[in-house]
Coordinates of all heavy atoms in Angstrom, one line a residue:
R940 N 66.3 -107.9 62.1 CA 67.6 -108.4 61.7 C 68.7 -107.8 62.6 O 68.8 -106.7 62.8 CB 67.9 -108.0 60.2 CG 69.1 -108.6 59.6 CD 69.4 -108.1 58.2 NE 70.6 -108.7 57.7 CZ 70.7 -109.4 56.7 NH1 69.6 -109.8 56.0 NH2 71.9 -109.9 56.3
A941 N 69.6 -108.8 63.1 CA 70.7 -108.4 64.0 C 70.2 -107.8 65.3 O 71.1 -107.3 66.1 CB 71.7 -107.5 63.2
S942 N 69.0 -108.0 65.6 CA 68.5 -107.4 67.0 C 69.2 -108.1 68.2 O 69.4 -107.5 69.2 CB 67.0 -107.4 67.0 OG 66.5 -108.7 66.9
K943 N 69.4 -109.4 68.0 CA 69.9 -110.2 69.1 C 71.4 -109.7 69.3 O 71.9 -109.6 70.5 CB 69.9 -111.6 68.8 CG 70.4 -112.4 70.0 CD 69.8 -113.8 70.0 CE 70.2 -114.4 71.3 NZ 69.1 -115.3 71.8
K944 N 72.1 -109.4 68.3 CA 73.5 -108.9 68.4 C 73.5 -107.6 69.1 O 74.5 -107.2 69.7 CB 74.1 -108.9 67.0 CG 74.4 -110.2 66.3 CD 75.0 -109.9 65.0 CE 75.3 -111.3 64.3 NZ 75.8 -111.1 63.0
C945 N 72.5 -106.8 69.0 CA 72.4 -105.5 69.5 C 71.9 -105.5 71.0 O 71.5 -104.5 71.5 CB 71.6 -104.6 68.7 SG 72.3 -104.3 67.1
G946 N 71.6 -106.8 71.5 CA 71.2 -106.9 72.9 C 69.6 -107.1 73.1 O 69.2 -107.0 74.3
A947 N 68.9 -107.2 72.1 CA 67.4 -107.5 72.2 C 67.2 -108.8 73.0 O 67.9 -109.8 72.7 CB 66.7 -107.5 71.0
A948 N 66.3 -108.8 73.9 CA 65.9 -110.0 74.6 C 65.2 -111.1 73.8 O 65.3 -112.2 73.9 CB 65.1 -109.7 75.9
I949 N 64.3 -110.5 72.9 CA 63.5 -111.4 72.0 C 64.0 -111.0 70.5 O 63.9 -109.8 70.2 CB 62.0 -111.2 72.1 CG1 61.6 -111.5 73.5 CG2 61.3 -112.0 71.1 CD1 61.7 -113.0 73.9
S950 N 64.4 -112.0 69.7 CA 64.8 -111.7 68.4 C 64.1 -112.6 67.3 O 64.5 -112.7 66.2 CB 66.3 -111.8 68.2 OG 66.7 -113.1 68.5
H951 N 63.1 -113.2 67.8 CA 62.3 -114.2 67.0 C 60.8 -113.9 67.1 O 60.3 -113.8 68.2 CB 62.6 -115.6 67.4 CG 61.9 -116.7 66.5 ND1 62.1 -118.0 66.8 CD2 61.0 -116.6 65.5 CE1 61.4 -118.7 65.9 NE2 60.8 -117.9 65.1
G952 N 60.1 -113.6 66.0 CA 58.7 -113.3 66.1 C 57.9 -114.2 65.1 O 58.4 -114.8 64.2
L953 N 56.6 -114.4 65.4 CA 55.7 -115.2 64.7 C 54.6 -114.2 64.3 O 54.0 -113.5 65.1 CB 55.1 -116.3 65.5 CG 54.1 -117.2 64.8 CD1 54.7 -118.0 63.7 CD2 53.4 -118.1 65.8
S954 N 54.3 -114.1 63.0 CA 53.3 -113.2 62.5 C 52.1 -114.0 61.9 O 52.3 -115.1 61.2 CB 53.8 -112.3 61.3 OG 54.8 -111.5 61.8
V955 N 50.9 -113.4 62.0 CA 49.7 -113.9 61.3 C 49.4 -113.0 60.2 O 49.2 -111.8 60.5 CB 48.6 -114.1 62.4 CG1 47.2 -114.6 61.6 CG2 48.8 -115.0 63.4
V956 N 49.3 -113.4 59.0 CA 49.1 -112.5 57.9 C 47.8 -112.9 57.2 O 47.6 -114.1 56.9 CB 50.3 -112.7 56.9 CG1 50.1 -111.8 55.7 CG2 51.6 -112.2 57.6
S957 N 47.0 -111.9 56.7 CA 45.9 -112.1 55.9 C 46.3 -112.0 54.4 O 46.7 -110.9 54.1 CB 44.7 -111.2 56.2 OG 43.8 -111.3 55.3
H958 N 46.3 -113.0 53.7 CA 46.7 -112.9 52.2 C 45.7 -112.2 51.5 O 46.0 -111.4 50.6 CB 47.1 -114.3 51.7 CG 48.2 -115.0 52.3 ND1 49.4 -114.6 52.0 CD2 48.3 -115.9 53.3 CE1 50.4 -115.4 52.7 NE2 49.6 -116.1 53.5
E959 N 44.5 -112.3 51.9 CA 43.4 -111.6 51.1 C 43.5 -110.1 51.4 O 43.4 -109.4 50.4 CB 42.0 -112.1 51.7 CG 40.8 -111.5 51.0 CD 39.5 -112.0 51.6 OE1 39.5 -112.8 52.6 OE2 38.5 -111.7 51.0
L960 N 43.8 -109.7 52.6 CA 43.9 -108.3 52.8 C 45.2 -107.7 52.6 O 45.4 -106.5 52.5 CB 43.4 -108.0 54.3 CG 42.0 -108.4 54.6 CD1 41.8 -108.2 56.1 CD2 41.0 -107.6 53.9
G961 N 46.2 -108.6 52.7 CA 47.6 -108.2 52.5 C 48.2 -107.4 53.7 O 49.0 -106.5 53.5
V962 N 47.7 -107.8 54.9 CA 48.1 -107.1 56.1 C 48.6 -108.1 57.2 O 48.1 -109.2 57.1 CB 47.2 -106.1 56.7 CG1 46.9 -105.0 55.7 CG2 45.9 -106.8 57.0
T963 N 49.4 -107.7 58.1 CA 49.7 -108.6 59.3 C 48.6 -108.2 60.3 O 48.4 -107.2 60.7 CB 51.1 -108.1 59.9 OG1 52.1 -108.4 58.8 CG2 51.5 -108.9 61.1
L964 N 48.1 -109.4 60.8 CA 46.9 -109.3 61.8 C 47.5 -109.2 63.2 O 46.9 -108.5 64.0 CB 45.9 -110.5 61.6 CG 45.3 -110.6 60.2 CD1 44.5 -111.9 60.0 CD2 44.5 -109.4 59.9
T965 N 48.5 -109.9 63.5 CA 49.1 -110.0 64.8 C 50.5 -110.4 64.7 O 50.9 -111.1 63.8 CB 48.3 -110.7 65.8 OG1 48.7 -110.5 67.2 CG2 48.2 -112.2 65.6
Q966 N 51.3 -110.1 65.8 CA 52.6 -110.6 65.9 C 52.8 -111.1 67.3 O 52.3 -110.4 68.2 CB 53.7 -109.6 65.4 CG 53.7 -109.3 64.1 CD 54.7 -108.3 63.7 OE1 55.0 -107.4 64.4 NE2 55.5 -108.5 62.6
Q967 N 53.6 -112.1 67.5 CA 53.9 -112.5 68.9 C 55.4 -112.9 68.9 O 55.9 -113.5 68.0 CB 53.1 -113.7 69.2 CG 53.3 -114.4 70.5 CD 52.8 -113.4 71.7 OE1 51.8 -112.8 71.6 NE2 53.5 -113.4 72.8
S968 N 56.1 -112.5 70.0 CA 57.5 -112.9 70.2 C 57.6 -114.4 70.6 O 56.7 -114.9 71.2 CB 58.2 -112.0 71.2 OG 57.5 -112.1 72.4
V969 N 58.7 -115.0 70.2 CA 59.0 -116.4 70.5 C 60.3 -116.4 71.3 O 61.3 -116.0 70.8 CB 59.0 -117.2 69.2 CG1 59.4 -118.7 69.5 CG2 57.8 -117.2 68.3
S970 N 60.2 -117.0 72.5 CA 61.3 -117.0 73.4 C 62.4 -118.0 72.9 O 62.1 -118.9 72.2 CB 60.8 -117.4 74.8 OG 61.9 -117.7 75.6
D971 N 63.6 -117.7 73.2 CA 64.7 -118.6 72.8 C 64.5 -120.0 73.5 O 65.2 -120.9 73.1 CB 66.1 -118.0 73.3 CG 66.4 -116.9 72.4 OD1 66.0 -116.7 71.3 OD2 67.4 -116.0 72.9
K972 N 63.8 -120.0 74.6 CA 63.6 -121.3 75.3 C 62.5 -122.2 74.7 O 62.2 -123.3 75.2 CB 63.1 -121.0 76.7 CG 64.0 -120.0 77.5 CD 65.0 -120.8 78.3 CE 65.8 -119.8 79.2 NZ 67.2 -119.8 79.0
T973 N 61.8 -121.7 73.6 CA 60.8 -122.5 72.9 C 60.9 -122.4 71.5 O 61.9 -122.0 70.9 CB 59.4 -122.1 73.5 OG1 58.5 -123.0 73.0 CG2 59.1 -120.7 73.1
N974 N 59.8 -122.7 70.8 CA 59.8 -122.5 69.3 C 58.4 -122.1 68.9 O 57.6 -121.7 69.8 CB 60.2 -123.8 68.5 CG 59.3 -125.0 68.9 OD1 58.0 -124.9 69.0 ND2 59.8 -126.2 69.1
E975 N 58.1 -122.0 67.7 CA 56.8 -121.4 67.2 C 55.6 -122.3 67.5 O 54.4 -121.8 67.5 CB 56.9 -121.2 65.7 CG 57.9 -120.1 65.3 CD 58.1 -120.0 63.8 OE1 57.3 -120.7 63.0 OE2 58.9 -119.3 63.4
I976 N 55.8 -123.6 67.8 CA 54.6 -124.5 68.0 C 53.7 -124.0 69.1 O 52.5 -123.8 68.8 CB 55.1 -125.9 68.1 CG1 55.8 -126.4 66.9 CG2 53.9 -126.8 68.4 CD1 56.6 -127.6 67.0
P977 N 54.1 -123.9 70.4 CA 53.2 -123.4 71.3 C 52.7 -122.0 71.2 O 51.5 -121.8 71.5 CB 53.9 -123.6 72.7 CG 55.4 -123.6 72.3 CD 55.5 -124.1 70.9
V978 N 53.4 -121.2 70.6 CA 53.0 -119.7 70.4 C 51.9 -119.7 69.3 O 50.9 -119.1 69.5 CB 54.2 -118.9 70.0 CG1 53.8 -117.5 69.6 CG2 55.3 -118.9 71.1
S979 N 52.1 -120.5 68.2 CA 51.1 -120.5 67.1 C 49.8 -121.1 67.7 O 48.7 -120.6 67.2 CB 51.7 -121.3 65.9 OG 51.9 -122.6 66.3
T980 N 49.8 -122.2 68.4 CA 48.6 -122.7 69.0 C 47.8 -121.7 69.8 O 46.7 -121.6 69.7 CB 48.9 -124.0 69.8 OG1 49.7 -124.9 68.9 CG2 47.6 -124.7 70.3
E981 N 48.6 -120.9 70.6 CA 47.9 -119.9 71.5 C 47.3 -118.8 70.6 O 46.2 -118.3 70.8 CB 48.8 -119.4 72.5 CG 49.2 -120.3 73.6 CD 47.9 -120.7 74.4 OE1 47.0 -119.8 74.8 OE2 47.7 -121.9 74.6
I982 N 48.1 -118.3 69.6 CA 47.5 -117.3 68.7 C 46.3 -117.8 67.9 O 45.3 -117.0 67.8 CB 48.7 -116.9 67.7 CG1 49.7 -116.1 68.4 CG2 48.1 -116.1 66.6 CD1 50.9 -115.7 67.5
L983 N 46.3 -119.0 67.5 CA 45.2 -119.5 66.8 C 44.0 -119.4 67.6 O 42.9 -119.3 67.0 CB 45.6 -121.0 66.4 CG 44.5 -121.7 65.5 CD1 44.6 -120.9 64.1 CD2 44.8 -123.2 65.3
K984 N 44.0 -119.5 68.8 CA 42.8 -119.5 69.7 C 42.1 -118.2 69.7 O 41.0 -118.0 70.0 CB 43.2 -119.9 71.2 CG 43.6 -121.3 71.4 CD 44.0 -121.5 72.8 CE 44.5 -122.9 73.0 NZ 45.0 -123.1 74.5
T985 N 42.9 -117.1 69.3 CA 42.3 -115.8 69.2 C 41.5 -115.4 68.0 O 41.0 -114.3 67.8 CB 43.4 -114.7 69.6 OG1 44.3 -114.7 68.5 CG2 44.0 -114.9 70.9
F986 N 41.6 -116.4 67.0 CA 40.9 -116.1 65.7 C 39.8 -117.0 65.4 O 39.8 -118.2 65.8 CB 42.1 -116.3 64.6 CG 43.0 -115.2 64.5 CD1 44.2 -115.2 65.2 CD2 42.7 -114.0 63.8 CE1 45.1 -114.2 65.1 CE2 43.6 -112.9 63.8 CZ 44.9 -113.1 64.5
D987 N 38.8 -116.5 64.7 CA 37.7 -117.4 64.2 C 38.2 -117.9 62.9 O 38.3 -117.3 61.9 CB 36.5 -116.5 64.0 CG 35.3 -117.4 63.4 OD1 35.4 -118.6 63.3 OD2 34.3 -116.7 62.9
V988 N 38.5 -119.3 62.9 CA 39.1 -119.9 61.7 C 38.0 -120.6 60.9 O 38.3 -121.2 59.8 CB 40.2 -120.9 62.0 CG1 41.3 -120.2 62.7 CG2 39.7 -122.0 62.9
S989 N 36.8 -120.5 61.3 CA 35.7 -121.1 60.6 C 35.6 -120.7 59.1 O 35.5 -119.5 58.8 CB 34.4 -120.8 61.2 OG 33.3 -121.4 60.5
G990 N 35.7 -121.7 58.2 CA 35.7 -121.4 56.7 C 37.0 -120.8 56.2 O 37.0 -120.4 55.0
K991 N 38.0 -120.6 57.0 CA 39.3 -120.1 56.6 C 40.3 -121.2 56.2 O 40.2 -122.3 56.7 CB 39.9 -119.2 57.6 CG 39.0 -118.1 58.2 CD 38.8 -117.1 57.2 CE 38.1 -115.8 57.7 NZ 36.7 -115.9 58.0
V992 N 41.2 -120.9 55.3 CA 42.2 -121.8 55.0 C 43.5 -121.3 55.7 O 43.9 -120.2 55.5 CB 42.5 -122.0 53.5 CG1 43.8 -122.7 53.1 CG2 41.3 -122.4 52.7
I993 N 44.1 -122.2 56.5 CA 45.3 -121.8 57.3 C 46.5 -122.4 56.6 O 46.5 -123.6 56.5 CB 45.2 -122.3 58.8 CG1 43.8 -121.9 59.4 CG2 46.4 -121.8 59.6 CD1 43.6 -120.5 59.5
T994 N 47.4 -121.5 56.3 CA 48.7 -122.1 55.6 C 49.9 -121.9 56.5 O 50.0 -120.9 57.2 CB 48.9 -121.4 54.2 OG1 49.1 -120.0 54.5 CG2 47.8 -121.7 53.3
T995 N 50.8 -122.8 56.6 CA 52.0 -122.7 57.4 C 53.1 -123.5 56.7 O 53.0 -124.1 55.6 CB 51.8 -123.5 58.8 OG1 51.7 -124.8 58.6 CG2 50.6 -123.0 59.4
D996 N 54.3 -123.4 57.3 CA 55.4 -124.2 56.8 C 55.4 -125.6 57.6 O 54.5 -125.8 58.4 CB 56.7 -123.4 57.0 CG 57.1 -123.1 58.4 OD1 56.4 -123.6 59.3 OD2 58.1 -122.4 58.6
A997 N 56.4 -126.3 57.3 CA 56.5 -127.7 57.8 C 56.5 -127.8 59.4 O 56.0 -128.7 59.9 CB 57.7 -128.4 57.2
L998 N 57.0 -126.8 60.1 CA 57.2 -126.8 61.5 C 55.8 -127.0 62.2 O 55.8 -127.7 63.1 CB 57.9 -125.5 62.0 CG 58.0 -125.5 63.5 CD1 59.0 -126.5 64.0 CD2 58.5 -124.1 63.9
L999 N 54.8 -126.5 61.6 CA 53.4 -126.5 62.3 C 52.6 -127.6 61.8 O 51.4 -127.5 62.0 CB 52.8 -125.1 62.0 CG 53.5 -124.0 62.7 CD1 52.7 -122.6 62.5 CD2 53.6 -124.2 64.2
T1000 N 53.2 -128.7 61.2 CA 52.3 -129.9 60.9 C 52.3 -130.7 62.2 O 52.7 -131.9 62.1 CB 52.9 -130.6 59.7 OG1 54.3 -130.9 60.0 CG2 52.8 -129.9 58.4
Q1001 N 51.9 -130.1 63.3 CA 51.8 -130.8 64.5 C 50.3 -131.1 64.8 O 49.4 -130.4 64.5 CB 52.3 -129.9 65.6 CG 53.7 -129.4 65.4 CD 54.7 -130.5 65.5 OE1 54.6 -131.3 66.3 NE2 55.7 -130.5 64.6
K1002 N 50.1 -132.2 65.6 CA 48.7 -132.7 65.8 C 48.0 -131.7 66.6 O 46.7 -131.4 66.2 CB 48.9 -134.0 66.7 CG 47.6 -134.7 66.9 CD 47.9 -136.0 67.6 CE 46.5 -136.8 67.8 NZ 46.7 -138.1 68.5
T1003 N 48.5 -131.1 67.6 CA 47.7 -130.1 68.4 C 47.2 -128.9 67.6 O 46.2 -128.4 67.6 CB 48.4 -129.7 69.6 OG1 49.7 -129.1 69.3 CG2 48.6 -130.8 70.6
F1004 N 48.1 -128.4 66.7 CA 47.9 -127.2 65.9 C 46.8 -127.6 64.8 O 45.8 -126.8 64.7 CB 49.1 -126.7 65.2 CG 49.0 -125.5 64.5 CD1 48.8 -124.3 65.1 CD2 48.9 -125.5 63.1 CE1 48.7 -123.1 64.4 CE2 48.7 -124.3 62.3 CZ 48.6 -123.1 63.0
C1005 N 46.9 -128.7 64.2 CA 46.0 -129.1 63.1 C 44.6 -129.5 63.8 O 43.6 -129.1 63.2 CB 46.5 -130.3 62.4 SG 48.0 -130.0 61.4
H1006 N 44.6 -130.1 64.9 CA 43.4 -130.4 65.6 C 42.6 -129.0 65.9 O 41.4 -129.0 65.8 CB 43.7 -131.2 66.9 CG 42.4 -131.7 67.6 ND1 41.9 -130.9 68.6 CD2 41.6 -132.7 67.2 CE1 40.8 -131.6 69.0 NE2 40.6 -132.5 68.2
A1007 N 43.4 -128.0 66.4 CA 42.7 -126.8 66.8 C 42.0 -126.2 65.5 O 41.0 -125.6 65.7 CB 43.7 -125.8 67.3
I1008 N 42.7 -126.3 64.4 CA 42.0 -125.7 63.2 C 40.8 -126.5 62.8 O 39.8 -125.9 62.5 CB 43.1 -125.8 62.0 CG1 44.2 -124.8 62.3 CG2 42.4 -125.4 60.7 CD1 45.4 -125.0 61.4
I1009 N 40.9 -127.8 62.9 CA 39.7 -128.7 62.5 C 38.6 -128.4 63.4 O 37.5 -128.3 63.1 CB 40.1 -130.2 62.5 CG1 41.1 -130.4 61.3 CG2 38.9 -131.1 62.4 CD1 41.9 -131.7 61.4
V1010 N 38.9 -128.3 64.7 CA 37.8 -128.1 65.7 C 37.1 -126.7 65.5 O 35.9 -126.6 65.7 CB 38.4 -128.2 67.3 CG1 37.4 -127.6 68.2 CG2 38.7 -129.6 67.6
G1011 N 37.9 -125.7 65.0 CA 37.3 -124.5 64.7 C 36.7 -124.3 63.3 O 36.4 -123.3 62.8
N1012 N 36.4 -125.6 62.7 CA 35.8 -125.6 61.4 C 36.6 -124.9 60.3 O 36.1 -124.4 59.3 CB 34.4 -125.1 61.3 CG 33.6 -125.9 62.2 OD1 33.6 -127.2 62.2 ND2 32.7 -125.3 63.1
G1013 N 37.9 -124.9 60.4 CA 38.8 -124.4 59.4 C 39.5 -125.4 58.6 O 39.2 -126.6 58.8
D1014 N 40.2 -125.0 57.5 CA 40.9 -126.0 56.6 C 42.4 -125.7 56.8 O 42.8 -124.6 56.9 CB 40.4 -125.8 55.2 CG 39.0 -126.3 55.0 OD1 38.7 -127.4 55.4 OD2 38.3 -125.5 54.4
Y1015 N 43.2 -126.7 56.7 CA 44.6 -126.6 56.8 C 45.4 -126.9 55.5 O 45.0 -127.9 54.9 CB 45.1 -127.6 57.9 CG 46.6 -127.5 58.3 CD1 47.1 -126.5 59.0 CD2 47.4 -128.5 57.7 CE1 48.4 -126.3 59.2 CE2 48.9 -128.4 58.0 CZ 49.3 -127.3 58.8 OH 50.6 -127.2 59.0
C1016 N 46.3 -126.1 55.2 CA 47.0 -126.2 54.0 C 48.5 -126.1 54.3 O 49.0 -125.1 54.8 CB 46.7 -125.2 53.0 SG 47.6 -125.3 51.5
F1017 N 49.3 -127.1 54.2 CA 50.7 -127.1 54.5 C 51.4 -126.6 53.3 O 51.1 -127.1 52.2 CB 51.2 -128.7 54.8 CG 52.6 -128.8 54.7 CD1 53.5 -128.2 55.5 CD2 53.1 -129.6 53.7 CE1 54.8 -128.4 55.5 CE2 54.5 -129.8 53.6 CZ 55.3 -129.2 54.4
V1018 N 52.3 -125.6 53.5 CA 53.0 -125.1 52.4 C 54.5 -125.3 52.8 O 55.0 -124.8 53.8 CB 52.7 -123.6 52.3 CG1 53.6 -123.0 51.2 CG2 51.3 -123.4 51.9
N1019 N 55.2 -126.0 51.9 CA 56.6 -126.2 52.1 C 57.3 -125.4 51.0 O 57.2 -125.6 49.9 CB 56.9 -127.7 51.9 CG 58.4 -128.0 52.4 OD1 59.1 -127.2 52.9 ND2 58.8 -129.2 52.1
I1020 N 58.1 -124.4 51.5 CA 58.8 -123.5 50.5 C 60.3 -123.9 50.6 O 61.0 -124.0 51.6 CB 58.7 -122.1 51.0 CG1 57.3 -121.7 51.1 CG2 59.6 -121.2 50.1 CD1 57.0 -120.4 51.5
L1021 N 60.8 -124.4 49.4 CA 62.2 -124.8 49.3 C 62.9 -123.6 48.6 O 62.6 -123.2 47.5 CB 62.3 -126.1 48.6 CG 61.6 -127.2 49.1 CD1 61.7 -128.4 48.2 CD2 62.2 -127.6 50.5

Side-chain angles (χ1 to χ4, degrees):
R940 185 180 178 122
S942 60
K943 188 157 185 140
K944 290 180 184 177
C945 294
I949 301 291
S950 60
H951 181 178
L953 179 68
S954 297
V955 176
V956 176
S957 169
H958 294 281
E959 182 179 7
L960 299 174
V962 297
T963 298
L964 301 174
T965 189
Q966 292 180 319
Q967 179 70 37
S968 60
V969 179
S970 169
D971 286 342
K972 306 263 187 235
T973 187
N974 59 40
E975 295 174 6
I976 297 168
V978 175
S979 62
T980 304
E981 287 302 311
I982 287 176
L983 188 64
K984 293 177 185 177
T985 65
F986 288 94
D987 176 11
V988 298
S989 179
K991 305 290 190 285
V992 175
I993 310 300
T994 59
T995 70
D996 63 6
L998 179 67
L999 294 179
T1000 56
Q1001 303 293 318
K1002 187 175 183 178
T1003 56
F1004 185 76
C1005 296
H1006 185 263
I1008 294 169
I1009 293 167
V1010 167
N1012 294 317
D1014 292 310
Y1015 182 75
C1016 178
F1017 161 68
V1018 177
N1019 190 10
I1020 300 171
L1021 300 174

